Amino acid sequence: MSLSVDIEHRFDGFTLKAAFEAPPGVTALFGRSGAGKTTLVNAVAGLLRPDAGRITLKDRVLLDSAAHICLPPHRRRLGYVFQDARLFPHLSVAANLDYGTRYASGGGTAMSRSDVIDLLGLAPLLDRRPRHLSGGETQRVAIGRALLSRPEMLLMDEPLAALDATRKADILPYLERLKTAYNLPILYVSHALDEIARLADTLVLLADGRVHSAGPIRTLLSDPALVPVLGVREAGAVIDARVTHHADDGLTTLRIAAGDLYLPGVQAHVGDVVRVRIRAGDVIIARERPKGLSSVNILPVTVTAVQMGDGPGAAIALDAAGDALLARITARSARDLGLQAGMPCFAVLKATSVAQASIGQHLP
Amino acid sequence: MSLSVDIEHRFDGFTLKAAFEAPPGVTALFGRSGAGKTTLVNAVAGLLRPDAGRITLKDRVLLDSAAHICLPPHRRRLGYVFQDARLFPHLSVAANLDYGTRYASGGGTAMSRSDVIDLLGLAPLLDRRPRHLSGGETQRVAIGRALLSRPEMLLMDEPLAALDATRKADILPYLERLKTAYNLPILYVSHALDEIARLADTLVLLADGRVHSAGPIRTLLSDPALVPVLGVREAGAVIDARVTHHADDGLTTLRIAAGDLYLPGVQAHVGDVVRVRIRAGDVIIARERPKGLSSVNILPVTVTAVQMGDGPGAAIALDAAGDALLARITARSARDLGLQAGMPCFAVLKATSVAQASIGQHLP
Amino acid sequence: RDVTVFAAASLRGALDEVAALSADTVVISYGGSGAMARQVAQGAPADLVVLANPQWMDWLHAQGVVAPDAAAPLLTNTLVLIGHSGPEMPNPDADALLARLNGGRMAMGQRDAVPAGVYARAWLEHIGAWSTVEPHLAEVENVRAALALVARGDAPLGVVYGSDAGAEPKVSVLWRIPSEQHPAISYPAAALTPEGAQFMTTLRSPQAAAIFVRHGFSLP
Amino acid sequence: MDAAGYEALRLSLLVSGTATLLALPLALGCAWLLARRDFWGKDLLSAAIHLPLVLPPVVTGYLLLLAFGRTAPVGRFLEQTLGLVLAFRWTGAVLAAMVMGFPLMVRAMRLAIQAVDPRIEAAAATLGAPRYAVFATITLPLIAPGILAGTVMGFAKALGEFGATITFVAAIPGQTQTLPSAIYSYLQVPGGEARAAQLTLIACAIAVSAVIVSEWLSRRIAARIGAA
Amino acid sequence: MDAAGYEALRLSLLVSGTATLLALPLALGCAWLLARRDFWGKDLLSAAIHLPLVLPPVVTGYLLLLAFGRTAPVGRFLEQTLGLVLAFRWTGAVLAAMVMGFPLMVRAMRLAIQAVDPRIEAAAATLGAPRYAVFATITLPLIAPGILAGTVMGFAKALGEFGATITFVAAIPGQTQTLPSAIYSYLQVPGGEARAAQLTLIACAIAVSAVIVSEWLSRRIAARIGAA
Ligand SMILES: Nc1ncnc2c1ncn2[C@@H]1O[C@H](COP(=O)(O)OP(=O)(O)OP(=O)(O)O)[C@@H](O)[C@H]1O
Ligand SMILES: Nc1ncnc2c1ncn2[C@@H]1O[C@H](COP(=O)(O)OP(=O)(O)OP(=O)(O)O)[C@@H](O)[C@H]1O
Ligand code: MOO
Ligand SMILES: [Mg+2]
Ligand SMILES: [Mg+2]
């Protein structure tokens, strides 16, 4: 276990009581506004001393209220990207970044300053004062500062919320590299399931200060029962696929047990196993293999469960030669097509609707 | 014209030179981080006095540097939701809200305090101090405060960025109601094209301090040339449809020139005209009418333009009996299907993939 | 070696000139008599003290700092009634003073704290005017402030030393108070070291006497 | 304590209290000007405000006499127009205490104003609050700790002021003789230490109470506005 | 100006400068304690720091004399252990100036510390900075305006201090006679006004220069840390 958390804390009118284990990799904290995400991260960082609990990182005890242990923040060696940036107002952007390096302990992950500056596009900002930055620029500097502090774990509280899609798409692969190449565990707060699906290995769903469910992202995202919790639009399965070919027209062939997928813009090398997120809403079900469609991804599947919702939708769990898929279609279609468990059919996936951001590198 | 802006301002290393007209309704400012969105909104609000320019709201001159007119912020009667909330730290949430009402001029839009509190879920927070709020809670209070100040126009700088999808979905219809029922013009900064497509009537694309393009949202969103600018995932056409029937299973039938659409969760009344956003990535093209699909929306269309991108994608402009549609498919599929201008074919839209949030009420 | 003298502030000027007569380097610290007495008792590096007030010299005797025979009066001074302008007031009584004050106040040193104030009070009591004049006093922290009040016309009358009044053109002496109407105004001096004793001889020299007289003091 | 002591105590409290209250708005105005405005002569204003700190109090008192004495131009003007006499009145003691405490008050308030985030004030302006209302409803509450600190300092200084007061308005029992000048005069007499000590203890007690009240208030304010 | 005037000026600058520098760290420590810590007796500490403001300077000087005189317990102890003699030396004048300026310094710094957002300090801690480093690299630069203000006030007060100094260490030319006590003693003799005025002008000039320098510095600091 990388991080293990079991804490309890009461505010006036709000109680956080959460326990979870975060294996190496990225653990996402997901939950509505006010669910307790920031409170929890603050406790991990040592900025909030919970009423009771125990937090360990690898073999280090960060907090053990029973043993009266509470490591001060500066000895926890965690890099924290705050929801509210918290740049040092009296330091230039460059000095803000260097602050991270200044007190970096020997350990942790070595990232080069110039890499960080390039990635986050900070070069033109280096001489600026924080108060002359735009919202997104501020947040990028905050990310850079945390990255440069050589932390043993990164805590990121909605780090990309202030960023535009292009910038997000630039930064996400880098975060992935942190986790794979540098083996840096990340605790990642976000309300964008997109980012989470791409980055996270583990998902912790917080609701009202309690852990609603926690587990491997694959399992949770393809659980039809969680569709209402995660939001209708965001549900979708995550499957592993091996890169077999990059074609000249930019499409990459990926092999899964059920057949081949053709996806654009996959960056991995041939032979790599990548993670592909297929949103339930992007899957069409056909009784017969359709022809003359612009969709090049058509997989034979078997219906494993049909879950009719309260509304007009239905969640259909599918088995694609062992991989779990999730489709969200209208209840009317489900009836019209006569879908039921065990029925063989075809899943049509739009190649372009497999979001760029949803293709992530898989853990080695 | 509701708002007319033509300003120029230089910061060290950044120049804003933007002119645009915002007709009544919602005008979205869209652009990358650092494009100058906040700077522009600040100029409209009177918090930044641009080097030169002219800003008028309806028939009131807010700024005319040639005539040395610069109305102070408190006489501009604009409600500003800041990117960084800016709640009054010494006042409770309730008092923050009431501050808006206290100095409200007689004019502007009357919204009831209890409505605002209900909508934004502020009831449990009323006695709290701002520093005891979570990020999302803070932003909700900021929105409420601006709404209650009876402004003649709302300025919203990424108001929903800190909110989760569910909360966003709750608030968006309300903003729509402000614009339709109360006729309140809104200048809306966002980097979520989703929100923009749903709310905005006019889109102003800022890039590097300049207006890249501006115009009715319908035109800009279905312009294949803007696909790279807006982001591959977010491009998509917006069309108007009339509600003809609400079925018991929750699907609503909408009439457009090319035929019927079946969409879930449409809230409008029978007879209303609503706006439907159909993302380019959610459209599949078929040469023949497909059968046995879970997709119930299949429209006969004609290809009007095929634009091959640099990468693996292709943007296909379609004409559906007069309505412009945009499809994004792989270049390979475009070639395989032999798509070219003038060719008749079928557009398959997943009912559930027409996002809930993309169905908005149309201006009366 | 330097000679250090602690002296009453009202002696500055005269004493500075006298010090110049000495072959030694004379360093003079001016201050209030009470403060100086306390400092000497606390071991101040004074070779000689000149106070404006015999009471504090007595106190120093009592503290055992100064031998009873080491101290002797060095100078005396006179007390004068001054006014901003107007005719002289020989032998004033309470009514005359009140009339001349005409609703204004009489400036003088604080009745207990400032030596000149102590003498002024004694005089007023002697002529039986104290209870009448007392409500019309303006007591200040030093004689010069009293002088300033009269010079500026803020107070019609004041009681100060003769040595102070002579040098201020904006006030006129209305009445030189006879010395028997108040306790003797005496500046006792005491040498604390041999160096101090040596400077004492300079102080008592005829040249010094001339300087003191020129500044309005008298010799005992 | 004897009657004179009581009288001095009463007067000290009256003078210090009045001086503090009167100086408050003026000091606030100066603090605001110095913190937020740029104007010609700003540094000189700041220097002038600091002067009473630098000059021996007696000199300040003397200068007050030159300006506000009965025969002085300003003093005459005040007497003729407002009927306000400062010389030898408790009102003059109030003026002296105001002048001496002023630099302390201004500085504390200025620091507090400088620490207010102007973006918060801007937010209030966009909600329609005119400038004075922004000041009253946002700035003022946010600088409450500074106002409180300035008030305590000003009051304490006023309570301890003596040199300028006695030079300007003398030490008239019941009118202008405050606690410190009573203490001073006791200290000048051999054997007066005991009574001086008694009055000193009273002054200390007042100061300690004022500080304790202010610390309590400051904690309440901090809890309200969320300062550390 | 005569040699004595120069001497007094030199000594005043030496004493005020030394007092300000020595008091600075101590005042900073007290300010930090009062702003950030809660402990038993906090209000009493605060009251004690304010006392020199409330008491007539002469009383403060007298108390210093009682404590640090050559024959007084603390004075003797200091002399025997550290060889440090305060009584009637310029070092004593430094002590008196420190004590008198202390409340002003502490208050300015305390206000500044209270205005620092602890969340910014917390951010530094998460980046690995130990507590002293957070203070040195974050808190200290952010409270620079307060330190500057405290320094100016303390220096100004030290420059103007007179009652406590003359009571504690007398006014020995070249040793303990500072500008204000020279001014005071000139004011005591007939015809001394002109020289008193001259020295007063010099004191004013120093004060004005100090304030102008501090205003300039304060603008630079504001530009750096982004205060209003
Ligand atoms: N100091 C505090 N005192 C009282 N209540 C608090 C305090 N801090 C947070 N809360 C409350 O605790 C709850 C959880 O807050 P937290 O900041 O952890 O939420 P969050 O999940 O991070 O939300 P968001 O997504 O909006 O940032 C909220 O209801 C908040 O109002
Ligand atoms: N006071 C200032 N001085 C110098 N440059 C500034 C100042 N304020 C903003 N800028 C710069 O102007 C540019 C535009 O800033 P602005 O805040 O308007 O961006 P934005 O479009 O709102 O970005 P974001 O989406 O990140 O909030 C940025 O490059 C920013 O760094
Ligand atoms: O010389 Mo004195 O002791 O001020 O009257
Ligand atoms: Mg949060
Ligand atoms: Mg912005």
Side-chain angles (χ1 to χ4, degrees):
Chain A
M1 275 309 124
S2 205
L3 178 76
S4 154
V5 174
D6 180 357
I7 55 169
E8 196 169 339
H9 189 74
R10 267 185 56 81
F11 285 127
D12 223 24
F14 176 81
T15 307
L16 177 72
K17 188 167 162 46
F20 66 91
E21 307 278 321
V26 175
T27 302
L29 275 180
F30 184 84
R32 293 197 57 167
S33 165
K37 307 182 291 295
T38 301
T39 307
L40 202 150
V41 177
N42 280 342
V44 173
L47 301 182
L48 173 94
R49 187 171 186 153
D51 297 338
R54 200 179 139 83
I55 301 176
T56 55
L57 177 61
K58 290 182 189 135
D59 42 7
R60 292 195 299 140
V61 177
L62 303 184
L63 173 87
D64 188 339
S65 55
H68 298 288
I69 296 173
C70 182
L71 234 57
H74 69 274
R75 292 182 46 214
R76 297 199 175 194
R77 280 177 265 146
L78 302 167
Y80 192 163
V81 180
F82 295 91
Q83 195 169 6
D84 52 349
R86 306 198 191 178
L87 297 187
F88 304 130
H90 59 301
L91 298 180
S92 67
V93 167
N96 263 280
L97 292 176
D98 294 338
Y99 201 95
T101 352
R102 178 136 46 131
Y103 299 100
S105 53
T109 310
M111 274 154 291
S112 105
R113 187 174 187 274
S114 60
D115 272 6
V116 169
I117 289 175
D118 282 354
L119 164 82
L120 297 163
L122 301 179
L125 308 177
L126 289 177
D127 293 330
R128 295 269 198 85
R129 297 272 150 197
R131 85 200 133 114
H132 291 157
L133 298 179
S134 80
E137 289 163 349
T138 305
Q139 200 56 27
R140 274 144 58 200
V141 177
I143 295 174
R145 186 177 67 174
L147 290 182
L148 285 173
S149 72
R150 297 169 147 253
E152 295 193 356
M153 179 168 198
L154 258 186
L155 311 177
M156 310 188 88
D157 196 355
E158 312 208 3
L160 308 183
L163 299 182
D164 54 289
T166 324
R167 189 58 81 177
K168 262 186 206 170
D170 289 350
I171 295 178
L172 276 170
Y174 192 79
L175 295 181
E176 266 167 357
R177 224 164 70 221
L178 287 178
K179 128 181 154 181
T180 50
Y182 295 103
N183 232 326
L184 182 67
I186 303 180
L187 187 61
Y188 192 93
V189 174
S190 174
H191 46 63
L193 210 53
D194 245 25
E195 294 166 19
I196 290 184
R198 167 151 184 188
L199 268 186
D201 304 291
T202 309
L203 180 63
V204 177
L205 255 166
L206 270 187
D208 283 331
R210 257 141 248 270
V211 175
H212 176 285
S213 30
I217 186 119
R218 217 163 304 244
T219 318
L220 293 190
L221 284 188
S222 56
D223 182 350
L226 285 183
V227 170
V229 183
L230 294 174
V232 169
R233 292 199 57 197
E234 298 297 347
V238 172
I239 56 180
D240 289 338
R242 181 174 301 277
V243 176
T244 55
H245 178 65
H246 286 298
D248 291 340
D249 62 3
L251 287 189
T252 299
T253 312
L254 299 143
R255 169 83 32 91
I256 59 171
D260 282 344
L261 292 176
Y262 303 91
L263 301 179
V266 176
Q267 240 112 59
H269 298 292
V270 168
D272 283 356
V273 173
V274 300
R275 178 195 291 189
V276 178
R277 174 169 181 231
I278 299 166
R279 290 200 294 179
D282 286 338
V283 178
I284 295 178
I285 296 177
R287 291 297 305 273
E288 299 154 35
R289 180 179 283 272
K291 300 223 164 57
L293 278 191
S294 63
S295 262
V296 284
N297 296 307
I298 301 176
L299 298 175
V301 294
T302 310
V303 175
T304 51
V306 176
Q307 178 157 343
M308 294 292 188
D310 294 337
I316 316 291
L318 303 168
D319 174 79
D323 288 316
L325 282 181
L326 199 61
R328 185 164 163 82
I329 63 176
T330 59
R332 185 181 296 184
S333 295
R335 260 191 310 277
D336 286 356
L337 294 177
L339 294 185
Q340 47 189 299
M343 181 181 280
C345 53
F346 293 88
V348 182
L349 321 174
K350 276 210 60 175
T352 55
S353 76
V354 177
Q356 166 80 31
S358 306
I359 304 167
Q361 257 177 308
H362 186 254
L363 272 174
Chain B
M1 276 311 122
S2 204
L3 178 76
S4 154
V5 174
D6 180 357
I7 55 169
E8 197 170 338
H9 189 73
R10 267 186 56 81
F11 284 127
D12 221 27
F14 176 81
T15 308
L16 178 73
K17 187 168 163 49
F20 65 90
E21 306 278 320
V26 175
T27 302
L29 275 180
F30 184 82
R32 292 196 59 168
S33 166
K37 308 181 293 291
T38 301
T39 307
L40 203 149
V41 176
N42 280 341
V44 173
L47 300 184
L48 173 94
R49 186 172 188 153
D51 297 338
R54 200 180 139 83
I55 301 175
T56 56
L57 176 61
K58 291 183 190 136
D59 42 6
R60 293 195 298 141
V61 176
L62 302 185
L63 172 87
D64 188 339
S65 55
H68 297 289
I69 295 171
C70 182
L71 234 59
H74 69 274
R75 292 182 45 214
R76 298 199 174 193
R77 279 176 267 145
L78 302 166
Y80 191 164
V81 181
F82 295 90
Q83 195 170 6
D84 53 349
R86 306 198 191 179
L87 298 187
F88 303 130
H90 59 301
L91 299 179
S92 68
V93 167
N96 263 281
L97 293 175
D98 294 340
Y99 201 95
T101 351
R102 179 137 45 130
Y103 300 99
S105 54
T109 309
M111 273 154 289
S112 104
R113 185 172 188 276
S114 59
D115 272 6
V116 169
I117 289 173
D118 281 354
L119 163 80
L120 297 164
L122 301 179
L125 309 177
L126 289 175
D127 293 330
R128 295 268 199 88
R129 298 272 151 195
R131 85 199 133 113
H132 291 157
L133 299 179
S134 80
E137 288 164 349
T138 305
Q139 200 55 25
R140 274 144 58 198
V141 177
I143 295 173
R145 187 177 68 175
L147 291 180
L148 286 172
S149 72
R150 295 168 147 257
E152 294 193 357
M153 179 167 197
L154 258 187
L155 311 176
M156 309 188 88
D157 196 354
E158 312 210 5
L160 308 184
L163 299 182
D164 54 290
T166 323
R167 188 59 81 178
K168 263 186 206 170
D170 288 350
I171 295 178
L172 275 170
Y174 192 78
L175 295 181
E176 265 165 358
R177 227 169 61 223
L178 286 178
K179 128 181 152 181
T180 51
Y182 295 102
N183 231 326
L184 182 66
I186 304 180
L187 186 61
Y188 193 92
V189 174
S190 174
H191 46 62
L193 211 54
D194 243 25
E195 292 166 19
I196 290 184
R198 169 154 182 184
L199 268 185
D201 305 292
T202 308
L203 179 63
V204 177
L205 255 167
L206 271 187
D208 281 331
R210 258 141 248 270
V211 175
H212 176 285
S213 29
I217 186 120
R218 218 163 306 246
T219 319
L220 293 190
L221 284 188
S222 55
D223 182 349
L226 285 183
V227 169
V229 182
L230 295 174
V232 169
R233 291 200 58 196
E234 298 296 349
V238 172
I239 58 182
D240 287 338
R242 182 174 301 278
V243 175
T244 56
H245 179 64
H246 287 295
D248 291 341
D249 63 3
L251 287 191
T252 300
T253 311
L254 298 142
R255 170 79 35 86
I256 58 173
D260 281 345
L261 291 177
Y262 303 93
L263 301 179
V266 175
Q267 239 112 60
H269 298 290
V270 170
D272 284 356
V273 174
V274 299
R275 177 193 292 189
V276 179
R277 174 170 183 232
I278 299 167
R279 290 199 293 179
D282 286 339
V283 178
I284 295 178
I285 297 177
R287 291 294 309 271
E288 300 155 33
R289 181 180 282 274
K291 300 227 160 56
L293 278 191
S294 63
S295 262
V296 284
N297 296 307
I298 302 176
L299 299 174
V301 293
T302 310
V303 175
T304 53
V306 175
Q307 177 158 344
M308 293 290 186
D310 294 336
I316 316 291
L318 302 169
D319 174 79
D323 288 317
L325 283 182
L326 199 60
R328 184 166 164 80
I329 61 176
T330 60
R332 185 182 296 184
S333 295
R335 261 192 309 278
D336 287 353
L337 295 176
L339 295 184
Q340 45 187 296
M343 182 181 279
C345 54
F346 293 87
V348 182
L349 322 174
K350 278 212 60 177
T352 56
S353 76
V354 177
Q356 167 79 32
S358 306
I359 304 166
Q361 256 178 309
H362 187 255
L363 273 174
Chain C
R1 173 180 173 289
D2 297 353
V3 180
T4 304
V5 177
F6 274 39
S10 46
L11 292 175
R12 176 157 213 164
L15 209 52
D16 281 348
E17 278 184 44
V18 173
L21 300 176
S22 169
D24 299 322
T25 310
V26 181
V27 173
I28 310 174
S29 170
Y30 293 102
S33 302
M36 277 186 308
R38 289 205 180 87
Q39 287 164 348
V40 168
Q42 280 287 337
D47 298 302
L48 185 127
V49 279
V50 189
L51 302 181
N53 182 336
Q55 273 180 287
W56 279 110
M57 195 57 91
D58 296 343
W59 181 82
L60 278 176
H61 294 159
Q63 298 295 306
V65 182
V66 173
D69 54 350
L74 175 67
L75 298 169
T76 65
N77 209 337
T78 54
L79 205 60
V80 294
L81 177 67
I82 55 170
H84 187 59
S85 57
E88 295 194 354
M89 284 185 74
N91 246 328
D93 59 6
D95 293 337
L97 289 173
L98 263 198
R100 187 65 171 265
L101 283 175
N102 187 25
R105 290 183 175 271
M106 177 187 275
M108 60 179 241
Q110 281 184 289
R111 63 185 78 170
D112 306 312
V114 181
V118 175
Y119 299 127
R121 175 187 186 166
W123 168 61
L124 288 171
E125 280 172 346
H126 181 90
I127 62 170
W130 174 249
S131 54
T132 317
V133 175
E134 203 229 289
H136 304 284
L137 293 178
E139 292 168 86
V140 289
E141 186 252 353
N142 62 69
V143 175
R144 301 293 302 177
L147 193 66
L149 286 177
V150 177
R152 296 203 39 79
D154 284 286
L157 294 176
V159 180
V160 300
Y161 291 130
S163 60
D164 290 309
E168 177 55 73
K170 291 207 201 96
V171 302
S172 31
V173 174
L174 306 182
W175 169 239
R176 294 188 181 279
I177 297 163
S179 59
E180 60 277 8
Q181 294 189 355
H182 57 81
I185 301 175
S186 149
Y187 293 76
L192 303 168
T193 63
E195 289 85 355
Q198 201 183 332
F199 183 59
M200 182 76 93
T201 55
T202 311
L203 286 180
R204 296 197 182 280
S205 69
Q207 297 100 308
I211 293 170
F212 284 130
V213 169
R214 182 152 45 78
H215 280 88
F217 295 96
S218 321
L219 301 178
Chain D
M1 195 169 49
D2 56 6
Y6 272 119
E7 192 56 39
L9 173 60
R10 185 193 67 82
L11 195 70
S12 266
L13 289 176
L14 175 69
V15 167
S16 311
T18 312
T20 311
L21 285 182
L22 288 181
L24 207 61
L26 212 63
L28 196 54
C30 284
W32 189 83
L33 276 180
L34 290 174
R36 284 290 169 82
R37 293 276 135 173
D38 269 318
F39 51 90
W40 190 92
K42 175 172 168 172
D43 289 4
L44 286 182
L45 174 64
S46 173
I49 290 173
H50 279 89
L51 270 192
L53 215 54
V54 184
L55 297 179
V58 173
V59 173
T60 306
Y62 192 68
L63 294 176
L64 285 175
L65 194 61
L66 290 184
F68 294 96
R70 280 201 109 124
T71 58
V74 188
R76 212 151 16 164
F77 173 81
L78 285 178
E79 183 163 356
Q80 279 162 11
T81 54
L82 303 176
L84 179 68
V85 180
L86 297 173
F88 307 127
R89 299 277 171 86
W90 73 277
T91 46
V94 168
L95 178 65
M98 278 175 72
V99 168
M100 296 301 287
F102 205 64
L104 314 187
M105 300 181 85
V106 171
R107 192 48 100 149
M109 294 177 196
R110 178 178 176 185
L111 270 176
I113 293 174
Q114 280 172 333
V116 171
D117 186 347
R119 294 177 306 168
I120 300 288
E121 296 171 317
T126 65
L127 290 168
R131 211 164 288 169
Y132 70 89
V134 173
F135 184 78
T137 58
I138 306 295
T139 320
L140 214 50
L142 287 180
I143 62 170
I147 294 183
L148 180 64
T151 306
V152 176
M153 304 265 291
F155 182 74
K157 179 73 210 170
L159 213 54
E161 212 312 286
F162 149 62
T165 308
I166 198 171
T167 307
F168 178 35
V169 291
I172 300 162
Q175 285 274 348
T176 61
Q177 188 182 44
T178 55
L179 221 41
S181 61
I183 294 174
Y184 175 79
S185 72
Y186 285 131
L187 266 189
Q188 301 307 309
V189 197
E193 288 89 353
R195 287 166 94 192
Q198 195 185 32
L199 293 188
T200 300
L201 280 182
I202 291 168
C204 288
I206 298 172
V208 170
S209 323
V211 168
I212 286 177
V213 169
S214 83
E215 292 288 342
W216 174 80
L217 265 176
S218 131
R219 273 188 287 273
R220 283 204 38 167
I221 292 172
R224 274 188 81 81
I225 67 175
Chain E
M1 193 170 49
D2 56 5
Y6 272 117
E7 192 56 40
L9 173 60
R10 184 192 69 79
L11 195 71
S12 265
L13 290 176
L14 175 68
V15 166
S16 310
T18 312
T20 311
L21 285 183
L22 287 181
L24 207 62
L26 211 65
L28 196 55
C30 284
W32 188 83
L33 275 180
L34 291 173
R36 286 288 170 83
R37 294 275 133 173
D38 268 318
F39 51 90
W40 190 92
K42 174 172 169 172
D43 290 3
L44 286 183
L45 174 64
S46 172
I49 289 172
H50 279 88
L51 270 192
L53 215 54
V54 185
L55 296 180
V58 173
V59 173
T60 308
Y62 182 49
L63 294 176
L64 284 176
L65 188 63
L66 289 184
F68 294 95
R70 281 199 107 126
T71 59
V74 188
R76 213 156 11 171
F77 173 79
L78 285 178
E79 184 165 357
Q80 280 163 10
T81 53
L82 303 177
L84 178 69
V85 180
L86 296 172
F88 312 111
R89 298 274 173 87
W90 72 276
T91 46
V94 168
L95 179 65
M98 278 175 70
V99 168
M100 295 302 288
F102 205 65
L104 314 187
M105 300 181 84
V106 171
R107 191 49 97 150
M109 296 176 195
R110 179 179 174 184
L111 271 175
I113 293 174
Q114 279 172 333
V116 171
D117 186 348
R119 291 176 309 167
I120 300 289
E121 297 172 317
T126 65
L127 290 167
R131 209 166 289 170
Y132 69 88
V134 173
F135 184 78
T137 59
I138 306 296
T139 319
L140 214 51
L142 287 178
I143 63 170
I147 294 183
L148 180 65
T151 306
V152 175
M153 304 266 291
F155 182 73
K157 180 73 212 171
L159 212 55
E161 211 313 287
F162 146 64
T165 309
I166 200 172
T167 309
F168 177 32
V169 291
I172 305 169
Q175 286 272 346
T176 60
Q177 189 184 46
T178 56
L179 221 42
S181 55
I183 294 174
Y184 178 77
S185 72
Y186 279 126
L187 274 183
Q188 299 304 304
V189 288
E193 287 86 356
R195 290 169 89 192
Q198 196 186 31
L199 293 187
T200 300
L201 281 181
I202 290 170
C204 288
I206 298 174
V208 170
S209 323
V211 168
I212 287 177
V213 168
S214 84
E215 293 288 340
W216 174 82
L217 264 176
S218 129
R219 273 188 287 272
R220 283 202 40 166
I221 291 172
R224 275 187 80 81
I225 68 175

